[in-house]
């Protein structure tokens, strides 16, 4: 069974900082890896999808890298803003769809 | 990405009653939809995979007779919690499978059973 660990579990930073969120997973035989954000009491918003053949994906201030062989992914958030406050989830997909959720990293960006 | 809606967004029901939650794909035909449950401060847990026109596949430990899933069209999947109990109180989220195995999530339904 795929196990997902995200470090740190919680993070509080002043706005403007560049952030690094780390994710590790135990089964490297993945099809893809998806990063989501979840706001309190809300559903999930897809941020980035990295196929297993790719090394990274970028969207605006977000950049995600994937090292499939070592079971690691990193999400970089540049110039953080209070609106970035949310829980960030790294979700590797072993059988096509990403179905393995950890507890995520809870991020608070203070003004 | 695709837009997924859920209805209702929150519901309170009495113990022993049944509740139906709808998951609707607004702009994409979804042959596969997923139902998750999330308890406070816990991870999302996959309950079942819903395939249009066929029976849902349930995860181990999820009672298929209690959580009835119907995926009768390419745009609608429903989850019915039958004979609800307080321990069924949770946040239920559906997602739709898209191209490249991307998933699009609905906004979730907060169920409280009293």
């Amino acid at each position: 069974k795929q196990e997902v660990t995200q470090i740190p579990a919680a993070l509080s930073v002043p706005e403007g900082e560049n952030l690094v969120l780390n994710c590790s997973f135990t089964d490297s035989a993945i099809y893809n890896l998806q990063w989501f954000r979840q706001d309190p009491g809300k559903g999930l918003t897809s941020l980035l999808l990295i196929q297993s053949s790719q090394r990274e994906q970028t969207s605006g201030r977000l950049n995600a890298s994937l090292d499939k062989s070592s079971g690691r992914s990193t999400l970089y958030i540049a110039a953080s803003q209070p609106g970035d406050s949310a829980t960030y989830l790294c979700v590797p997909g072993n059988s096509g769809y990403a179905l393995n959720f950890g507890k995520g990293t809870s991020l608070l960006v203070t003004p | 990405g695709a837009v997924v809606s859920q209805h209702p967004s929150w519901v309170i029901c009495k113990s022993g009653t049944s509740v139906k939650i709808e998951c609707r794909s607004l702009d994409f035909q979804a042959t596969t939809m997923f139902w998750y449950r999330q308890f406070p401060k816990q991870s999302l847990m996959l309950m079942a995979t819903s395939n249009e026109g066929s029976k849902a596949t349930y995860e181990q430990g999820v009672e298929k007779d209690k959580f009835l899933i119907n995926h009768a069209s390419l745009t609608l999947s429903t989850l019915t919690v039958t004979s609800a109990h307080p321990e069924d109180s949770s946040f239920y989220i559906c997602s739709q499978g898209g191209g490249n195995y991307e998933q699009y999530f609905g906004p979730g339904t907060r169920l409280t059973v009293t």
Side-chain angles (χ1 to χ4, degrees), chain B residues 3 6 15 49:
Chain B
V3 179
Q6 279 185 244
S15 187
T49 300

Side-chain angles (χ1 to χ4, degrees), chain A residues 3 8 28 34 43 56 58 65 67 69 77 81-82 84 94 105-106:
Chain A
E3 299 289 339
S28 62
Q34 205 163 350
E56 66 178 322
T58 298
S65 66
D67 184 344
S69 60
I77 303 177
Q81 302 171 355
D84 294 331
N94 284 89
T105 292
S106 177

Side-chain angles (χ1 to χ4, degrees), chain A residues 21-97:
Chain A
L21 307 183
N22 295 296
C23 169
S24 62
F25 46 94
T26 54
D27 185 350
S28 62
I30 63 172
Y31 280 69
N32 57 38
L33 186 141
Q34 205 163 350
W35 281 91
F36 295 92
R37 68 175 278 170
Q38 184 176 26
D39 293 280
K42 305 285 186 184
L44 276 66
T45 301
S46 178
L47 299 174
L48 292 163
L49 171 69
I50 311 176
Q51 300 296 341
S52 61
S53 58
Q54 297 174 319
R55 298 286 291 185
E56 66 178 322
Q57 279 286 348
T58 298
S59 175
R61 295 183 294 108
L62 304 178
N63 174 277
S65 66
L66 173 64
D67 184 344
K68 180 182 163 185
S69 60
S70 67
R72 295 181 188 280
S73 178
T74 302
L75 179 68
Y76 301 91
I77 303 177
S80 58
Q81 302 171 355
D84 294 331
S85 298
T87 296
Y88 288 80
L89 298 162
C90 154
V91 189
N94 284 89
S95 57
Y97 288 108

Side-chain angles (χ1 to χ4, degrees), chain B residues 1-112:
Chain B
V3 179
V4 180
S5 70
Q6 279 185 244
H7 178 81
S9 56
W10 61 272
V11 58
I12 301 173
C13 71
K14 292 189 180 223
S15 187
T17 62
S18 295
V19 174
K20 180 185 283 188
I21 302 170
E22 292 185 350
C23 177
R24 205 173 285 273
S25 174
L26 299 183
D27 60 353
F28 191 83
Q29 292 186 328
T31 56
T32 304
M33 287 182 154
F34 304 93
W35 286 97
Y36 296 84
R37 180 167 52 183
Q38 186 178 34
F39 293 106
K41 300 192 183 301
Q42 298 296 314
S43 311
L44 268 76
M45 296 297 296
L46 179 67
M47 299 176 68
T49 300
S50 168
N51 297 297
E52 188 267 338
S54 64
K55 291 183 179 180
T57 303
Y58 290 81
E59 295 298 302
Q60 190 172 9
V62 178
E63 300 174 58
K64 62 181 168 85
D65 295 330
K66 179 172 181 61
F67 298 98
L68 302 179
I69 290 173
N70 184 281
H71 192 165
S73 78
L74 290 171
T75 58
L76 176 64
S77 176
T78 60
L79 168 68
T80 301
V81 183
T82 63
S83 187
H85 291 286
E87 56 265 32
D88 298 323
S89 298
S90 187
F91 191 54
Y92 292 86
I93 309 177
C94 70
S95 73
Q96 169 191 313
N100 289 325
Y101 295 109
E102 192 160 5
Q103 279 192 71
Y104 305 100
F105 283 81
T109 296
R110 173 77 57 195
L111 170 64
T112 301

